[in-house]
Amino acid sequence: EPGRCAHFVLRKRRFCRMIPAPGRRFCGEHGHEEEQNDRKRIPCPLDPKHTVYEDQLQKHLKKCNSREKPKPVYFVQDINAGLKDVAELPEKQVPLSSLSIEELQNLIIKLKKASNGLELHLKEQILSHQALQEALNDPKNGESAFKHLKQQASILGNMEKLHLLGPRRCFVEFGAGRGKLSHWVDVALQNVESVQFLLVERATTRFKVDGKHKRRDSVFERLQVDIQHLCLNKVPILEKKKLPVVGIGKHLCGAATDLALRCLVESYTTCCDGEEEEPAAKRSRAAQTEVTPHKSAGNESTREDHKPVAGIVIALCCHHKCDWTHYVGREFFKSVGLGPVEFHYFQRMSSWATCGMRGTTSKASRSEGSEDQTDDTEEHEQTLSRTESGSDTLQGILSVEERKEIGCLCKRLIDHGRTEYLQQQGYKAALQYYTEADVSLENVLLTAVPSPSLIPEPTI
């Protein structure tokens, strides 16, 4: 094309679309093809996907987008990753399809035995919130947008029921994506003072809704960091104001949920009390941390009555992306005679709850976050490959409904480990259906608030 680079990109079957310098046929990336240009271009040592002039390498390394950037103050390597001394999984994990019928049946027996006595029939708590009524009634919404609005409305309704929508709060949205959930929380609290939002997302995100809040009193701040390395206590705004935190998330993928829980109830709740303490001592005191009752506007929190985490509300999903190393319910699994091998297979079998071995056209999300990164397609309803799902082994053994039931059992077992963990940390945790299955197959909401026994009695 006139005015464009003359290099033909074989992989894309078209010419390069960059604009070369005046008088040149090729852009800077492909300038080595210029006959009169004898300067040598070499692959960038930070990212070999692009090249650089050899005589400008040092200058390029200082500004290359692939260079290691300075870590923010709240970055603490692997602070939420879990214990380092856990037994590693076998180097070669056998896929479900390679299991014999007897091995598969033994796994199902173990699953049912471990699930015996657990609350498997969750309470249905499908709520709504006035803040979203206008958007829900907007006829311009497509089916996908309407489904997401219904889910967000129910999440806000559950937050309101737990008295988490109030003044003097800092809402931390994990896997924030475009920040839609925080946006609606902000709308619900538009007349409330001292409200702040931290949007945690490891990837750069397009089409963010942050701009809608520039002229509002609420404070929005993005933290571009993996949850695994996030120390909330070192976030300047939290370090300064000491506001109670409410952790929220909509469809927080697999291991990201476990990382977020540990971020909230271990590293954040305890690391402010001294970084030199032993982890075991920190965890034991986490269950003794007191809770600040809901205060009227204007009352100041003090060091003594400050409760770091006021509540947690996370819509769960993608159990097949969980990881034993990060999983917070390891102690529960061990208590019922299960270990990393069983966990590996149960997390794989959990996908049967949403795909049931049937075909699906849903696009698999590769983010740790929310639907906002998937262009409003119904996110996270994924199916595994035939090898991962073990379809050959299961053919003729389990019906679609039986596989779906087993998948649901796997999900509930993994989720029960999370509620047990939260209870041990001093929280009252619960699981409930927050929306209908035809709105989202991933329709379970995990909620947690400090146990009433840990809330100090009001002084008279």
Side-chain angles (χ1 to χ4, degrees):
E1 297 178 30
R4 302 284 180 169
C5 178
H7 174 79
F8 187 78
V9 186
L10 287 173
R11 182 173 58 87
K12 297 184 178 180
R13 298 181 181 179
R14 61 167 173 77
F15 284 95
C16 173
R17 291 175 178 167
M18 298 297 289
I19 300 175
R24 297 292 184 95
R25 295 180 58 237
F26 297 90
C27 67
E29 180 68 20
H30 304 116
H32 60 282
E33 299 182 24
E34 200 98 41
E35 293 180 5
Q36 66 270 27
N37 190 349
D38 56 358
R39 297 170 68 192
K40 183 181 179 182
R41 289 187 73 89
I42 60 173
C44 172
L46 299 178
D47 182 7
K49 291 181 180 178
H50 66 273
T51 60
V52 60
Y53 284 116
E54 189 174 26
D55 57 3
Q56 290 187 338
L57 177 60
Q58 295 306 315
K59 181 180 179 182
H60 171 79
L61 291 177
K62 294 178 181 179
K63 61 181 181 180
C64 178
N65 288 332
S66 298
R67 72 190 185 282
E68 186 175 355
K69 299 175 179 63
K71 297 290 190 294
V73 292
Y74 46 79
F75 181 98
V76 179
Q77 185 72 37
D78 294 329
I79 188 171
N80 305 313
L83 299 176
K84 304 290 190 300
D85 58 351
V86 295
E88 296 293 329
L89 290 172
E91 288 186 12
K92 188 175 181 181
Q93 296 175 350
V94 180
L96 283 174
S97 59
S98 299
L99 295 179
S100 66
I101 295 174
E102 184 179 356
E103 288 173 324
L104 187 61
Q105 289 174 336
N106 285 337
L107 273 175
I108 294 173
I109 290 171
K110 285 185 179 181
L111 173 65
K112 292 183 176 179
K113 182 179 179 181
S115 303
N116 189 30
L118 301 184
E119 182 57 56
L120 302 176
H121 301 287
L122 305 183
K123 179 181 178 182
E124 196 173 84
Q125 197 153 281
I126 302 172
L127 306 176
S128 190
H129 195 278
Q130 186 62 35
L132 288 94
Q133 289 310 304
E134 183 179 348
L136 284 167
N137 295 327
D138 188 347
K140 295 180 181 178
N141 286 325
E143 182 182 358
S144 179
F146 180 69
K147 286 182 176 182
H148 291 309
L149 287 169
K150 285 193 71 174
Q151 293 173 67
Q152 290 153 349
S154 185
I155 291 173
L156 261 67
N158 278 276
M159 291 175 67
E160 187 172 52
K161 187 171 183 178
L162 293 170
H163 307 291
L164 296 178
L165 294 178
R168 298 193 54 76
R169 297 274 195 279
C170 180
F171 295 90
V172 182
E173 183 179 357
F174 294 93
R178 293 169 59 196
K180 282 286 192 70
L181 184 56
S182 292
H183 165 72
W184 290 117
V185 172
D186 183 47
V187 172
L189 298 174
Q190 56 184 335
N191 297 319
V192 176
E193 64 177 21
S194 299
V195 178
Q196 297 174 348
F197 294 87
L198 293 177
L199 280 62
V200 182
E201 179 59 64
R202 67 181 176 185
T204 54
T205 308
R206 301 174 65 196
F207 311 119
K208 297 185 286 286
V209 297
D210 304 30
K212 295 183 179 181
H213 313 284
K214 288 182 178 177
R215 289 182 291 275
R216 299 281 292 275
D217 295 332
S218 50
V219 177
F220 274 72
E221 182 179 342
R222 278 192 173 263
L223 309 180
Q224 188 177 339
V225 62
D226 194 309
I227 304 170
Q228 182 169 329
H229 313 301
L230 171 61
C231 181
L232 281 177
N233 188 58
K234 293 181 181 293
V235 177
I237 199 168
L238 286 176
E239 195 175 18
K240 179 182 178 182
K241 298 201 173 181
K242 303 290 185 186
L243 293 177
V245 162
V246 179
I248 60 176
K250 179 175 178 288
H251 288 169
L252 196 59
C253 263
T257 293
D258 299 298
L259 296 172
L261 293 179
R262 193 175 282 108
C263 176
L264 289 164
V265 305
E266 282 192 60
S267 66
Y268 180 56
T269 305
T270 60
C271 75
C272 58
D273 296 323
E275 295 189 9
E276 301 302 321
E277 289 188 78
E278 292 295 321
K282 292 182 184 181
R283 284 194 293 272
S284 65
R285 194 170 64 254
Q288 302 170 9
T289 309
E290 290 188 342
V291 182
T292 302
H294 302 303
K295 297 183 174 225
S296 59
N299 288 351
E300 296 292 330
S301 292
T302 64
R303 174 82 175 184
E304 289 72 26
D305 68 3
H306 167 59
K307 170 61 184 176
V309 179
I312 301 169
V313 180
I314 295 175
L316 306 171
C317 84
C318 293
H319 294 72
H320 64 273
K321 287 189 175 182
C322 291
D323 186 283
W324 176 258
T325 323
H326 304 317
Y327 181 51
V328 295
R330 288 192 303 259
E331 291 304 317
F332 163 70
F333 257 64
K334 292 175 183 176
S335 71
V336 292
L338 303 174
V341 175
E342 290 83 6
F343 181 84
H344 165 70
Y345 289 120
F346 291 166
Q347 58 150 155
R348 283 311 185 193
M349 292 157 65
S350 70
S351 66
W352 298 350
T354 52
C355 74
M357 303 299 298
R358 293 164 291 183
T360 178
T361 57
S362 298
K363 181 179 179 181
S365 166
R366 299 187 65 84
S367 73
E368 72 173 25
S370 71
E371 88 287 352
D372 299 322
Q373 292 181 319
T374 60
D375 295 329
D376 286 336
T377 56
E378 182 52 40
E379 75 283 13
H380 307 297
E381 294 175 8
Q382 305 179 35
T383 181
L384 302 179
S385 68
R386 290 175 62 85
T387 301
E388 289 174 307
S389 301
S391 55
D392 294 334
T393 304
L394 296 169
Q395 193 67 33
I397 301 173
L398 299 172
S399 67
V400 168
E401 288 304 315
E402 287 173 327
R403 290 192 287 269
K404 183 178 178 182
E405 181 183 349
I406 291 170
C408 288
L409 271 182
C410 293
K411 282 177 173 284
R412 296 294 78 78
L413 192 68
I414 292 172
D415 290 341
H416 185 79
R418 289 164 167 166
T419 59
E420 286 264 325
Y421 165 79
L422 288 167
Q423 288 164 6
Q424 290 171 5
Q425 295 290 334
Y427 289 82
K428 181 181 178 183
L431 298 164
Q432 52 264 316
Y433 292 119
Y434 77 102
T435 192
E436 300 89 347
D438 60 350
V439 171
S440 176
L441 293 175
E442 298 283 15
N443 60 343
V444 174
L445 189 70
L446 170 65
T447 61
V449 292
S451 296
S453 59
L454 297 178
I455 301 178
E457 294 292 331
T459 56
I460 300 176

